Amino acid sequence: LSTRPTLFTAFSRFLPALLILCGIVLRLRQYLFCRSLWLDEAFLANSMPHESFAQILTGPLQYGHVMPLGFTALSILLSSAFGNHELALRFLPLLLGCATLPLVYAAAKTWLSRPAALLALALAAFSENLIYYSSEFKPYSVDAFFAAALLAAAGRAFAAPSPSSLRRLLLPALVGLLAPWFSQPSLFVLAPVAICGPLSPVPLRHRSPSLFVLAPVALCGLLPPVPFRHRLAWLALLALWGLNVLALFGIQYGGLNPANALPGKDWVLFFFSAENAFMPARTPDLFYWLRDTFIRTFTSPACLGIGSIPGMVLFVAGTFQLLVSRRIKPLLLFLLPIALCLLASRFQLYAFDTLHRLGSRGLLFLLPGLYLAIAAGAASLRFQPIPKPPSPPPAPPLPCSQTLFF
């Protein structure tokens, strides 16, 4: 038999690069179309030439915009170097929107099988929202980029069956320090990464039952599921992340002018309340809100279209499969950001708006984990051929007397 790879094998080897290339081409096509700035983009673009790096640290931009400091600083650099026009302003969202695709594949390849990783990459490459907002002068594609970067960094550090070495903590440490400065919703993804760090790589079925009783303490890294030096390094990293977030919020929302730190807050709350983007407090309304929000998540931010119902089924199947197989780390990384965002919406700290695409743009950071969960559900479906019914046993031979009679 020939050992040369077949045509299908050779094609599947280059399929990830082909999907990434197709996703980049679609984003470049949207970017080079160079549509005019719409209202939100125009407000932000008009404030760029009038702001300096010192001014963005002391309060909001003109027209009451509060943008991530890293995104604002790089946008000011690009507009100063290349001009205050559409292509220059949208270059940073385009660059990070294209870079999201290999990060989604890297995260999926770590936690899932290769066919499931290809499905997650295809969902991200052809996502209508990820394509569109890669060419909009707003930080929504940046949110998706850092969410995918955190998932990929966590996979590199925590997915190995043996305890992670200290060197592997450098990448998630760096991404965790940069992410809040460029993407405020990345905190919803950073929290599960912080929780997964102290978890033991040993499967749950091999652990002592006493760990389940002391699980909250184990999540803080105070029990010995990992060596002491790893727990100590992880606690130091958590402290560093915490100080970084406190410094960011102290600068941006405290600063030298705390009275104007959140301009237009009442209008924003009124708008998203009208959009039904906050979790209701009353129990009867809560059930219907959660049901409608779950269904619309697959139609508005995820943009699955006619595949929304199969997407919901695969999402539930993937969640169930991860839970049954006791794969706690990917379960937390994929689903806990959604739960934390829902909890924040209960206290009106973040809008979980799924009513239409414009409102759901703030949820793009959930798409990498959502697509990974859907791909995990697809991988859990193993279709087996229907076995043929057993053939009836042969009839016993007739006795000799009956044979002679007939």
Side-chain angles (χ1 to χ4, degrees), residues 296-378:
R296 290 196 300 260
T297 297
F298 296 89
T299 57
S300 184
C303 288
L304 295 181
I306 60 175
S308 297
I309 295 179
M312 285 186 281
V313 173
L314 293 178
F315 176 82
V316 174
T319 303
F320 180 76
Q321 175 65 23
L322 293 174
L323 189 61
V324 169
S325 60
R326 300 179 180 180
R327 300 179 60 194
I328 301 301
K329 289 183 180 180
L331 185 68
L332 291 177
L333 290 173
F334 299 167
L335 302 183
L336 191 55
I338 302 176
L340 292 176
C341 191
L342 288 171
L343 183 62
S345 73
R346 167 63 184 82
F347 298 100
Q348 296 186 349
L349 298 176
Y350 200 84
F352 205 101
D353 190 355
T354 58
L355 197 58
H356 47 75
R357 190 176 71 176
L358 179 63
S360 64
R361 55 188 177 169
L363 301 177
L364 291 193
F365 72 97
L366 296 177
L367 293 189
L370 186 68
Y371 290 153
L372 291 178
I374 293 174

Side-chain angles (χ1 to χ4, degrees), residues 35-391:
R35 68 185 188 279
S36 299
L37 299 175
W38 75 290
L39 185 63
D40 277 9
E41 292 179 294
F43 281 148
L44 187 57
N46 286 335
S47 63
M48 289 291 107
H50 308 289
E51 302 290 346
S52 64
F53 289 107
Q55 290 173 329
I56 66 175
L57 295 177
T58 59
L61 301 174
Q62 289 185 348
Y63 310 107
H65 278 78
V66 180
M67 291 287 114
L69 296 182
F71 175 81
T72 307
L74 287 183
S75 298
I76 291 177
L77 280 177
L78 289 174
S79 63
S80 301
F82 302 105
N84 198 34
H85 55 85
E86 289 88 347
L87 294 180
L89 294 172
R90 292 170 176 162
F91 179 74
L92 180 61
L94 171 73
L95 182 64
L96 297 186
C98 294
T100 302
L101 300 180
L103 290 175
V104 169
Y105 183 65
K109 190 171 60 173
T110 302
W111 298 109
L112 307 175
S113 62
R114 191 173 188 275
L118 291 174
L119 175 60
L121 175 59
L123 290 173
F126 299 106
S127 172
E128 182 181 352
N129 266 348
L130 291 181
I131 293 173
Y132 179 83
Y133 287 106
S134 292
S135 61
E136 178 161 314
F137 182 47
K138 299 288 279 187
Y140 304 117
S141 67
V142 183
D143 298 339
F145 168 80
F146 276 100
L150 286 169
L151 292 177
R156 178 179 174 85
F158 310 139
S162 59
S164 303
S165 65
L166 295 181
R167 291 181 181 178
R168 293 191 175 187
L169 296 180
L170 294 178
L171 183 59
L174 180 61
V175 178
L177 288 174
L178 288 177
W181 293 88
F182 288 87
S183 168
Q184 294 160 352
S186 65
L187 294 175
F188 293 116
V189 187
L190 185 61
V193 176
I195 292 175
C196 288
L199 289 180
S200 171
V202 181
L204 289 178
R205 58 180 174 270
H206 298 308
R207 297 188 198 172
S208 170
S210 61
L211 289 180
F212 292 98
V213 181
L214 302 176
V217 186
L219 291 181
C220 298
L222 302 180
L223 282 182
V226 292
F228 175 76
R229 63 189 183 97
H230 294 279
R231 296 202 312 274
L232 189 61
W234 190 251
L235 290 175
L237 180 58
L238 292 182
L240 184 61
W241 282 350
L243 292 175
N244 181 58
V245 172
L246 288 177
L248 169 64
F249 278 82
I251 291 173
Q252 186 159 18
Y253 296 106
L256 302 178
N257 193 8
N260 297 326
L262 291 174
K265 179 182 177 181
D266 295 336
W267 181 88
V268 172
L269 291 177
F270 173 78
F271 174 81
F272 284 113
S273 297
E275 294 280 311
N276 199 22
F278 298 122
M279 182 186 294
R282 295 187 300 176
T283 303
D285 298 334
L286 177 61
F287 171 77
Y288 296 107
W289 186 87
L290 289 175
R291 181 200 62 184
D292 296 340
T293 299
F294 176 76
I295 295 173
R296 290 196 300 260
T297 297
F298 296 89
T299 57
S300 184
C303 288
L304 295 181
I306 60 175
S308 297
I309 295 179
M312 285 186 281
V313 173
L314 293 178
F315 176 82
V316 174
T319 303
F320 180 76
Q321 175 65 23
L322 293 174
L323 189 61
V324 169
S325 60
R326 300 179 180 180
R327 300 179 60 194
I328 301 301
K329 289 183 180 180
L331 185 68
L332 291 177
L333 290 173
F334 299 167
L335 302 183
L336 191 55
I338 302 176
L340 292 176
C341 191
L342 288 171
L343 183 62
S345 73
R346 167 63 184 82
F347 298 100
Q348 296 186 349
L349 298 176
Y350 200 84
F352 205 101
D353 190 355
T354 58
L355 197 58
H356 47 75
R357 190 176 71 176
L358 179 63
S360 64
R361 55 188 177 169
L363 301 177
L364 291 193
F365 72 97
L366 296 177
L367 293 189
L370 186 68
Y371 290 153
L372 291 178
I374 293 174
S380 67
L381 302 178
R382 297 181 177 87
F383 297 98
Q384 300 291 339
I386 300 176
K388 295 182 179 179
S391 56

